[in-house]
Amino acid sequence: MAPVEWWLDRGLNVSTGEVWGIGYNPKDWYIPRESFGLAPDPERPRIWIPQGFVIPCVVGPDIWYIKIRRPCGDPKYIHITGSMPALYMAENLSAYKAVIFTEGELDALITWQEVSDFAGVATLGASTNARRLNLATWGLYLLYPKHKFTLYDLDEAGKKGAEELARFRFERLEIPKVKPFDKDVSDYFSSTGHLREWISGEFSRYPGLAPQEFIW
C-alpha cells in the first residue's frame, strides 16, 4: 500500500498532515551522530532513522522530538535519538474552553481533524507518559481551558493513563466499542465515521459547552 493510501485509509486528510508537518521517509537511514550535533558514541556511532511516517513535535521555534510510525515491524513507533518528551500539538490548546488529550499522535491528528473548530487536542505520546506531565513546562498551555478531557484507549494502560491525568482535573471520555477489537479513537472513527458527532454529544452534557460556546 502506498503511503498516501495508508494515510487516507485511516481517515486522515492530506491537509491534516500538511498542517502538522507530517512527512514520509521512504527507506531506512543510518546517519552519523555528529550530523545531528550529538557527541560521538563508539557503541552507537550512527542514528537509525527507519522507514515510515515522520511525526515532528514542534513547539514554538523548537523541535522537541521526531517520531517515526513504521509501516510494519515491532515496535511500531521509534523516537529518533536526541528526542525529548513533550506535549504534541501544545500550541493549539489555549484558544479553547475544552481540550482533549488522546493517547498517541495519530489519534490526536484524527481528533484534531474532526473537532478543531470547537476543541483543542494534544497528546503526551503514550498513556505511560501521563504520570510525567511537567506542569512547569506545559502548564501554561492548560491555564485557559475550563474543561479538560482524556480520550485514551480502552485497555488497562489507557485506564491508568486517564487516572494519572485525573490528578490535573481531566475527566475521561470513554470511547464506545463498536467492533470487538476496537480500542482507540482511530478504531472508532474507522468503524463509524462519527467521531465529531460523538464528541459533540459528550460535550453537550457539560454546562457552558453548548456548540456556539466551544471556542473563545
Side-chain angles (χ1 to χ4, degrees):
M1 181 182 294
V4 69
E5 292 175 347
W6 185 93
W7 185 261
L8 296 173
D9 189 57
R10 294 185 68 91
L12 289 157
N13 298 332
V14 171
S15 59
T16 298
E18 291 175 343
V19 168
W20 293 102
I22 307 299
Y24 189 80
N25 177 36
K27 65 176 185 178
D28 287 10
W29 296 86
Y30 298 87
I31 299 176
R33 293 174 59 88
E34 293 80 0
S35 298
F36 286 86
L38 300 173
D41 183 343
E43 295 185 1
R44 296 182 178 180
R46 296 179 181 274
I47 293 174
W48 175 41
I49 303 179
Q51 176 189 6
F53 284 93
V54 181
I55 305 172
C57 178
V58 181
V59 184
D62 300 317
I63 300 176
W64 284 75
Y65 67 73
I66 297 176
K67 185 181 283 190
I68 306 289
R69 201 307 184 174
R70 302 168 68 196
C72 58
D74 189 36
K76 292 181 180 179
Y77 291 92
I78 298 292
H79 269 102
I80 301 303
T81 300
S83 294
M84 298 290 291
L87 182 58
Y88 181 68
M89 301 169 71
E91 288 185 311
N92 88 102
L93 298 181
S94 60
Y96 298 92
K97 287 186 177 181
V99 298
I100 300 169
F101 275 27
T102 67
E103 192 159 326
E105 288 85 358
L106 290 181
D107 286 343
L109 288 165
I110 194 69
T111 305
W112 176 88
Q113 175 181 288
E114 296 302 301
V115 306
S116 61
D117 60 325
F118 64 81
V121 181
T123 181
L124 291 162
S127 61
T128 53
N129 292 337
R131 70 175 69 97
R132 296 194 293 268
L133 176 60
N134 186 340
L135 290 183
T137 302
W138 306 111
L140 177 65
Y141 298 97
L142 297 171
L143 284 178
Y144 298 104
K146 294 180 179 179
H147 299 269
K148 298 185 287 289
F149 302 95
T150 52
L151 196 52
Y152 276 16
D153 291 2
L154 296 173
D155 55 19
E156 191 60 28
K159 179 181 178 181
K160 289 181 178 179
E163 289 172 351
E164 290 286 347
L165 287 178
R167 295 181 298 134
F168 305 107
R169 298 185 178 180
F170 279 77
E171 298 183 60
R172 188 179 188 188
L173 299 177
E174 189 162 326
I175 308 160
K177 180 176 285 191
V178 179
K179 297 178 181 178
F181 297 104
D182 286 355
K183 73 166 189 173
D184 60 25
V185 172
S186 297
D187 290 338
Y188 180 77
F189 184 77
S190 177
S191 294
T192 69
H194 299 309
L195 180 61
R196 175 186 176 83
E197 292 82 357
W198 175 71
I199 292 176
S200 298
E202 291 295 299
F203 277 18
S204 68
R205 297 161 44 202
Y206 295 84
L209 283 187
Q212 70 272 16
E213 299 173 340
F214 283 159
I215 193 166
W216 291 102

